[in-house]
Amino acid sequence: GDSVTQTEGQVALSEEDFLTIHCNYSASGYPTLFWYVQYPGEGPQLLFRASRDKEKGSSRGFEATYDKGTTSFHLRKASVQESDSAVYYCALSDDTNAYKVIFGKGTHLHVLP
Amino acid sequence: GGIITQTPKFLIGQEGQKLTLKCQQNFNHDTMYWYRQDSGKGLRLIYYSITENDLQKGDLSEGYDASREKKSSFSLTVTSAQKNEMAVFLCASSMGQNNQAPLFGEGTRLSVL
């Protein structure tokens, strides 16, 4: 079945550091990819999505580029802030079943002041 | 704007008890979801419903029942609570077409004594 792999379970950075969270996927069809962010006590909220190869999604300084060749959708931010501390989830929905949305295990980002 | 309301916010149960979680949305979305969130395991899909009276099993449906009584509501039943179980159950909804991103409620936090 389809799956999403996030390599890092926890990431600790200092303010103004560069962030990369790795996301690789496996899908039988041509998936749409998502990044979500979750703050304590809240539900996950969508950062952005991308639907086709080479498409870049971006929001709030975060960005990721859909790479069908490497089956990746890595999240990046040039300069993190303490307020970016949260859990980040990569997710996909496959075009063979657009209703079923599968999430990765999440990456907990801690940004130290 | 719309909202997804999950009740109750906190649920304490006894081992072997049947427990029901409720979810209401006023986005007029067709598709609704139930996910289970455990630390280190991410979000795992339990059930989803493409439209009223439809039910689709996710990857974690064993031990759960679901009911889509009407378009705006989706309930989840834990058929027999497991001792020391602790998890957050997240409800979500989406338009369901064109790989739309689900929008999430704030969750129900379950503890089983």
Side-chain angles (χ1 to χ4, degrees):
Chain A
D2 296 348
S3 66
V4 175
T5 301
Q6 291 180 236
T7 313
E8 301 89 356
Q10 306 251 1
V11 173
L13 296 173
S14 298
E15 279 196 323
E16 300 184 10
D17 279 352
F18 189 93
L19 168 71
T20 300
I21 298 176
H22 295 94
C23 173
N24 287 89
Y25 68 89
S26 173
S28 53
Y30 200 132
T32 292
L33 304 173
F34 309 92
W35 274 105
Y36 281 78
V37 59
Q38 184 179 28
Y39 300 101
E42 299 181 8
Q45 52 186 278
L46 179 70
L47 269 177
F48 52 79
R49 54 176 272 182
S51 300
R52 57 188 183 277
D53 192 24
K54 303 295 187 283
E55 180 179 355
K56 179 191 282 190
S58 64
S59 175
R60 312 183 208 176
F62 293 90
E63 61 179 40
T65 300
Y66 192 137
D67 189 330
K68 199 167 186 295
T70 59
T71 61
S72 67
F73 192 52
H74 304 318
L75 182 69
R76 295 186 167 93
K77 187 175 186 183
S79 176
V80 295
Q81 303 301 310
E82 190 177 1
S83 57
D84 293 326
S85 297
V87 181
Y88 293 83
Y89 289 100
C90 185
L92 71 80
S93 66
D94 203 334
D95 61 352
T96 59
N97 181 356
Y99 302 100
K100 188 176 181 182
V101 183
I102 302 299
F103 284 76
K105 293 186 177 182
T107 298
H108 201 154
L109 172 64
H110 304 270
V111 180
L112 307 171
Chain B
I3 190 169
I4 296 174
T5 302
Q6 292 188 237
T7 55
K9 290 191 185 304
F10 299 95
L11 182 57
I12 299 175
Q14 302 288 332
E15 184 182 10
Q17 192 176 5
K18 179 185 286 189
L19 302 167
T20 297
L21 291 67
K22 293 188 181 295
C23 178
Q24 296 264 354
Q25 54 95 2
N26 63 359
F27 290 102
N28 199 35
H29 283 166
D30 290 313
T31 302
M32 295 186 74
Y33 304 82
W34 277 107
Y35 289 88
R36 176 181 166 127
Q37 183 176 39
D38 295 273
S39 179
K41 296 184 179 178
L43 275 65
R44 292 180 288 173
L45 183 61
I46 306 172
Y47 270 97
Y48 62 107
S49 168
I50 295 171
T51 189
E52 184 178 344
N53 294 320
D54 174 75
L55 287 177
Q56 305 286 334
K57 291 184 177 181
D59 299 322
L60 199 68
S61 61
E62 188 169 337
Y64 302 94
D65 288 326
S67 176
R68 184 85 182 268
E69 306 90 359
K70 50 187 179 180
K71 187 175 182 178
S72 62
S73 66
F74 194 30
S75 60
L76 180 73
T77 297
V78 179
T79 57
S80 180
Q82 300 299 304
K83 188 175 176 61
N84 297 323
E85 181 175 7
M86 285 183 64
V88 177
F89 292 85
L90 291 163
C91 177
S93 70
S94 78
M95 288 300 294
Q97 52 194 291
N98 298 326
N99 304 98
Q100 292 294 311
L103 302 177
F104 282 85
E106 294 189 338
T108 292
R109 285 149 183 81
L110 172 66
S111 297
V112 181
L113 304 176

